[in-house]
Amino acid sequence: MMLAAFSASAQQRNNVVPSFAGAVEDFQPNVTNQRGHQYPMVNSQGAVRAQLRAPQANSVQLDIGGRRYEMVKDENGVWTGTSDPQDVGFHYYQLNVDGASVPDPGTIYFFGAGRWGSGIEIPSADMDIWQVKNVPQGALEEKYYWSKATESMRHCFVYLPAEYQKNPNKKYPVLYLQHGNAEDENGWGSQGHTAQILDNLIAAGKAVPFIVVIDYGQSQNIHLVGQYAPEPQPAPAQPVQPAQPGARPGARQTGPDAFQVVLLTDIIPMVEKEYRVIADAQHRAMAGLSMGGMQTRRITVANPTTFAYVGLFSGGTISVEDVQGAAGYKDTNKLVFMSCGSKENPRVMEAAEALRGIGMNAVGYISEGTAHEWHTWRRSLYEFAQLLFK
Amino acid sequence: MMLAAFSASAQQRNNVVPSFAGAVEDFQPNVTNQRGHQYPMVNSQGAVRAQLRAPQANSVQLDIGGRRYEMVKDENGVWTGTSDPQDVGFHYYQLNVDGASVPDPGTIYFFGAGRWGSGIEIPSADMDIWQVKNVPQGALEEKYYWSKATESMRHCFVYLPAEYQKNPNKKYPVLYLQHGNAEDENGWGSQGHTAQILDNLIAAGKAVPFIVVIDYGQSQNIHLVGQYAPEPQPAPAQPVQPAQPGARPGARQTGPDAFQVVLLTDIIPMVEKEYRVIADAQHRAMAGLSMGGMQTRRITVANPTTFAYVGLFSGGTISVEDVQGAAGYKDTNKLVFMSCGSKENPRVMEAAEALRGIGMNAVGYISEGTAHEWHTWRRSLYEFAQLLFK
């Protein structure tokens, strides 16, 4: 009894739970499976069922959504386990084989949560927004470029709308679109489906054609050199922040940001040299998810006349004080868009209302039924893109 | 004794061997590791050392080059194992944890050998050819397009040379470049480093700028519809093949090939519509590795006036009879390039000599010290590209 009780307690501490027992048996192969793989599967409740052949293993677990589900071995050495229902949209997950956390060999792989690993897609009623359809197709370019600020070759992705190659004299607006913490420049094209969301919106006449630039923004991994490397310094003085809806005190520091340096020194100049771009603030947008949204706030406030369109997806809010403390921000800005999932802390509607109160065009958006994950951000891009450059 | 003998014999049957004992201790992190990962490592002998934390595992193996090396657990539950020296270049590999074959969580992932999984790079003296350098950079575009022949959206990659976006009225030649069996359209851009090889060659003035189109050619997974789906039929009659250097009887069947239908019906017309292309045989090349080389032979022989430049990389040979049996082939052709690794069956030099004997421009190339793997094919592309469209 003591041992069993201790064991149960140890399991709870590690968040190890039994497979979901209430699954409806209508599982279908997950859409991000490798070609020819039946598993993992997803059912109509959003439960995930994984399988792995590991005849000599002592324990195999399905690790998803902060829990590890015990999988059970059959007579052929194949382990099967089922998770509780998950939110609609995309989730990172992994398998745990005798203490080793490894990708599921059944899926293709995604970078996020700090590693390349498995991902699963729980179908949603609106997954149509990112499907590949028979509409005019843009292209997602993989592009390297020289960075003066880091004295290295950097790597980004550039979405070019379908008409770009057909209009050799037309110039286009640009959205600089950033990933979150522990993610990289692969996310928006892969699990974010940026190209498909924009191709579909542009084909439907809901968005104007624009370019999207997706770069790597994890500042602690960006090593600035020479004149670009700032001296260590205290954070600049900020207006006193009253407690208010939309205020997130933890996001207020605006100190040196290596990504800001690279964006302004290297990325924007490279894009405006290599592509046909309308190179002014009225045709330049910045947005990001989570950490990328916080960077968007800091960079646009620090450079208030550089970007006319601003998007924060699950990335905090821009306050009246931010705008009033940044000379030229209000006159330059055409849109502040702030969004989050309904399962996050949804202060975005109040923050947008406050900005509208000082005459800004501010839009709040809440993604119903989703948390701090990719489906929130796909939907945010879908909404934001329709408001850009109009 | 009996049991031990049986056990050793069973191990040999599964090709399970002890870790390499003679490793020089100068291991460095592999270049395809995930950011921040030390393992896997490679030493100056080309030996691979892998690590995995799996405290409860009974057995962990490093599975590379047709052998499974037993890894050994330390007091922290971390398993370490070392392979015998490998050939220079890129190799697929995986770990085996208690019977489960899984990707190594230390590397980024590649599609090949029929699965997304780990890859490792053994440095070579000529790895400079595919490094990202500060030279004018082209772009590798990811592109979807509608396929009439399959009634589906298909997916390819298109390399555009650096000057493409700067010369809006200039048209370019095109190389159609195919992967091997159990690979897909990701290989040439990722482990093949096509964009880097061409950027570097073009910057050095060793190759003229051209477009490369990389599509998916695994015919058994290409489902033709309606008028495009051929009736089952016997292979067309072929000239009698005498036994000769360069003749590979197994590669002689030219029956219906779903990839050929898609290439001619969908891919080439799409490319010539979407990009600025010189749309004639003298500015159109086809090449492929392994199965893609055999497809190149079959498709160019079946369409003898469509492609002026032909490359077979570890993909068999084109014979005098092939050329003489295909009306127009010799007059259209500007180059037949045939290559393989020195550890393969190198009939390519004799085959090239035979073609030169009938007045063709034929080049054989042997990649020293490599087998049927990606470094052979990178080198082949490097050599072939310098001979194209001149």
Side-chain angles (χ1 to χ4, degrees), chain A residues 12 90 160 323:
Chain A
Q12 283 170 355
F90 179 89
L160 299 174
V323 171

Side-chain angles (χ1 to χ4, degrees), chain A residues 56 58 98 137 140 142, chain B residues 56 58 98 137 140 142-143:
Chain A
Q56 286 88 48
N58 302 305
D98 285 342
Q137 294 286 314
L140 189 69
E142 186 174 9
Chain B
Q56 287 88 49
N58 301 307
D98 285 343
Q137 294 286 314
L140 189 68
E142 186 175 9
K143 180 84 177 171

Side-chain angles (χ1 to χ4, degrees), chain B residues 18-40:
Chain B
S19 262
F20 176 48
V24 175
E25 290 300 327
D26 58 359
F27 285 89
Q28 297 288 330
N30 163 48
V31 298
T32 65
N33 283 1
Q34 294 189 33
R35 188 182 280 112
H37 283 251
Q38 293 293 301
Y39 284 88

